[in-house]
């Protein structure tokens, strides 16, 4: 039985892996000229580095399970340091313990000088979805929101807390209940016992897509944009390739693992309700700028986040050569910064040189000077991260209900229930399992 997976990012590849290892014949159709989606390796100053996603949450099993399944165990590493700072009020300040920015220790927060917190208000968690900003500000005040929660969420979603959904983006904050600070302290105490939070791969996490795609039973095709997905009497027909030379591909089932705008277009005919809901999901664009220095003095720690209220150009910096031993072993200093948040449409219209110069100026301010880099690379991520705005989970339920009513069709990816690598892998594998369990592929 033959299944087509539309989109060769981690979600689509995880779906393909689940299907192929269960005996299906899978063709992954990737529109761009390379598989991997938001995972990408590139060369900077002679080093091969991750230019997109660079770490895997190890507290969820799905990412490392797949790494294990494809035999990359021997490359798994954990960060040398995860001590991050907040760059605010003119200096780098060690981040006090938090749960997604909710302080777990009021005294440590006060000592950090990062944010002022009024007496926390004990309030019930509302049943309906609210924005992260409304929830946090009402309980802990605006400064905690602006200088802790906002930069942390900005790092994950590149969004704005006054739009982001509490239930979809920070269920762990909602789960803290009424007494946020006490519950955050308990949560932190329990979490420290359970091992490393993050993992990476020696040589970069972006090695994973190609290794997954090499699984027997998977054929991965690039430059294969899917333009239409239609039902036939006994399966599905896909229109693939350039408009001037469209190929028709007949398969038994389809997994659409493309981002929401493309998925919306592809589902418009066969699952119009899902298409409508998907079309409402916005994306944030950003760029990752990676610098390599022959020799630079940088403070210890994995890097820093910046509160948007401080008006800097960069929103975060990771000192990769502090964070990963395999990067440090090159003897160079590697720093990556990210710029761009949801709605900042003009910032990324500047050319690469402008972005790299302005981001470097911020880095020099934060670190108190840096030499000239040996090399830098700007990697743009147009439509990089979906925005889970208030009401997102209702939209996702609409999509899921609509797609569930169509035999042999599934969707997966970062647009739905989590943007991180383990979350999208889980989404892909679950989509594949639903097809397998429905018996679509048995006949
Ligand atoms: C800069 C950046 C850094 C990140 N860092 C981390 C990190 O460190 N850790 C982490 O866990 N997560 C990180 N993330 C998030 C995570 O990498 C992504 O959410 C995840 O990889 C998305 O996977 P996906 O398969 O859902 O989508 P994508 O990776 O977007 O893959 C979708 C694929 O579908 C293809 N496609 C689209 N339309 C069509 C079509 N019509 N036909 C065929 N193909 C099509 C696209 O070309 C793309 O390759 C980061 C994201 C970004 C942008």
């Amino acid at each position: 039985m033959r299944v087509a997976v539309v989109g060769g990012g981690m979600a689509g590849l995880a779906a393909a892996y689940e299907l192929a290892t269960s005996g299906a014949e899978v063709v992954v159709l990737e529109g761009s000229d390379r598989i991997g989606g938001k995972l990408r390796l590139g060369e900077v100053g002679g080093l091969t580095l991750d230019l997109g996603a660079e770490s895997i949450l190890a507290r969820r099993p799905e990412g490392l399970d797949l790494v294990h399944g494809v035999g990359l165990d021997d490359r798994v590493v954990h960060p040398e340091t995860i001590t991050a700072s907040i760059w605010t009020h003119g200096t780098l300040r060690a981040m006090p313990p938090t749960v997604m920015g909710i302080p777990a220790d009021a005294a440590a927060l006060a000592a950090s000088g990062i944010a002022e917190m009024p007496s926390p208000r004990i309030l019930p968690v509302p049943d309906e979805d609210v924005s992260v900003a409304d929830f946090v500000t009402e309980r802990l005040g605006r400064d905690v929101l602006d200088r802790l929660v906002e930069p942390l969420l900005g790092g994950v979603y590149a969004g704005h807390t006054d739009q982001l959904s509490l239930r979809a983006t920070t269920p762990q904050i909602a789960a803290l209940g009424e007494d946020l600070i006490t519950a955050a302290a308990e949560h932190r105490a329990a979490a420290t016992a359970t091992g490393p939070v993050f993992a990476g791969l020696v040589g970069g996490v972006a090695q994973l897509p190609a290794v997954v795609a090499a699984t027997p039973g998977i054929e991965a095709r690039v430059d294969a944009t899917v333009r239409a997905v239609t039902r036939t009497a006994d399966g599905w027909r896909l229109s693939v390739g350039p408009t001037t030379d469209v190929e028709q591909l007949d398969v038994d089932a389809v997994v659409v693992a493309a981002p929401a705008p493309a998925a919306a277009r592809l589902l418009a005919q066969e699952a119009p309700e899902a298409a409508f809901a998907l079309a409402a999901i916005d994306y944030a664009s950003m760029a990752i700028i990676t610098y390599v220095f022959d020799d630079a003095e940088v403070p210890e720690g994995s890097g820093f986040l910046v509160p948007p209220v401080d008006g800097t150009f960069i929103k975060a910096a990771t000192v990769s050569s502090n964070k990963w031993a395999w990067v440090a072993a090159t003897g160079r200093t590697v720093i990556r910064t990210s710029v761009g948040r949801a709605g900042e449409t003009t910032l990324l219209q500047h050319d690469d040189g402008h972005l790299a110069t302005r981001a470097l100026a911020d880095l020099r301010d934060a670190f108190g000077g840096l030499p000239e880099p040996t090399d830098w690379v700007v990697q743009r991520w147009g439509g990089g991260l979906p925005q889970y705005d208030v009401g997102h989970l209702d939209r996702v339920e609409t999509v899921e209900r609509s797609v569930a009513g169509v035999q042999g069709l599934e969707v997966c990816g970062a647009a739905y229930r989590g943007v991180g690598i383990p979350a999208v892998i889980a989404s892909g594998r679950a989509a594949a399992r639903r097809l397998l369990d429905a018996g679509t592929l048995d006949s």
Side-chain angles (χ1 to χ4, degrees):
M1 289 294 118
R2 199 151 192 240
V3 185
V5 174
V6 183
M10 253 356 282
L13 290 168
Y17 178 81
E18 186 74 25
L19 289 160
T21 52
S22 302
E25 187 191 330
V26 190
V27 57
V28 176
L29 301 161
E30 166 54 45
S32 74
D33 60 1
R34 51 161 203 101
I35 57 156
K38 305 304 184 298
L39 277 63
R40 172 177 207 146
L41 291 173
E43 203 192 295
V44 195
L47 308 180
T48 301
L49 300 165
D50 281 311
L51 300 183
E54 53 100 48
S55 71
I56 301 174
L57 186 67
R59 289 268 165 85
R60 279 187 70 149
E62 299 91 340
L64 289 182
D65 277 358
L66 184 60
V67 167
H68 172 73
V70 298
L72 284 177
D73 277 332
D74 59 342
R75 301 220 187 143
V76 173
V77 282
H78 299 287
E80 298 298 298
T81 168
I82 54 166
T83 320
S85 303
I86 301 275
W87 183 29
T88 191
H89 301 304
T91 187
L92 291 172
R93 298 164 188 272
M95 184 140 68
T98 76
V99 173
M100 264 335 260
I102 302 300
D105 181 339
L109 172 65
S112 74
I114 291 171
E116 290 191 4
M117 183 169 67
S119 280
R121 294 177 71 198
I122 312 286
L123 295 170
V125 180
D127 290 333
E128 76 279 11
D129 196 14
V130 293
S131 73
V132 176
D134 282 350
F135 185 84
V136 174
T137 308
E138 210 179 352
R139 288 159 181 79
L140 306 178
R142 188 78 209 187
D143 216 25
V144 167
L145 177 83
D146 284 345
R147 295 183 194 281
L148 278 172
V149 181
E150 187 84 57
L152 273 165
L153 268 188
V156 183
Y157 289 95
H160 302 275
T161 55
D162 53 357
Q163 280 155 20
L164 292 174
S165 149
L166 179 73
R167 301 226 167 249
T169 63
T170 49
Q172 60 277 61
I173 293 183
L176 293 174
E178 299 191 355
D179 186 350
L180 289 177
I181 307 292
T182 307
E186 287 167 6
H187 183 95
R188 290 279 306 195
T192 43
T194 57
V197 183
F198 295 105
L201 297 178
V202 172
V205 297
Q207 296 163 103
L208 183 59
V211 178
V212 176
T215 303
I218 299 179
E219 180 202 351
R221 288 171 54 182
V222 294
D223 297 318
T225 301
V226 177
R227 303 192 177 275
V229 170
T230 29
R231 262 208 273 198
T232 59
D234 53 0
W236 291 83
R237 172 162 294 176
L238 281 72
S239 307
V240 187
T243 43
T244 47
D245 185 20
V246 176
E247 173 196 346
Q248 309 292 352
L249 187 73
D250 289 323
V251 290
D252 300 296
V254 184
V255 179
V256 175
R265 284 193 296 278
L266 294 175
L267 297 183
Q269 186 175 329
E270 304 296 347
E273 254 197 290
F276 193 71
L278 281 164
I281 299 175
D282 277 338
Y283 276 69
S285 296
M286 67 215 65
I288 299 285
I289 308 162
T290 305
Y291 303 87
V292 170
F293 301 87
D294 275 341
D295 189 17
E297 288 288 316
V298 285
E300 288 176 4
S302 63
F304 63 85
L305 298 165
V306 199
V309 280
D310 286 348
T312 56
F313 186 67
I314 60 174
K315 58 180 192 178
T318 301
V319 184
S320 307
S321 44
N322 284 354
K323 186 171 176 180
W324 303 111
W326 65 270
V327 180
T330 64
R332 323 280 279 284
T333 301
V334 178
I335 305 176
R336 57 183 246 156
T337 61
S338 57
V339 300
R341 286 189 173 85
E344 290 179 354
T345 45
T346 51
L347 185 142
L348 294 174
Q349 286 166 7
H350 293 291
D351 64 24
D352 287 359
H354 178 94
L355 298 184
T357 305
R358 285 195 61 188
L360 183 60
D362 272 359
L363 281 178
R364 286 184 164 135
D365 264 6
F367 288 149
L370 281 172
E372 273 307 297
T374 322
D375 194 13
W376 51 264
V377 163
V378 175
Q379 174 65 51
R380 290 163 190 269
W381 292 105
L385 283 163
Q387 298 300 293
Y388 290 3
D389 289 348
V390 175
H392 178 77
L393 292 179
D394 291 340
R395 280 190 280 281
V396 171
E397 276 168 27
T398 303
V399 176
E400 288 170 349
R401 216 177 24 248
S402 168
V403 169
V406 185
Q407 203 195 351
L409 176 68
E410 289 294 344
V411 292
C412 61
Y416 306 96
R417 296 182 183 273
V419 301
I421 293 170
V424 304
I425 289 173
S427 159
R429 293 187 84 162
R433 280 259 56 95
R434 287 192 297 274
L435 277 184
L436 294 162
D437 293 346
T440 314
L441 311 178
D442 294 343
S443 51

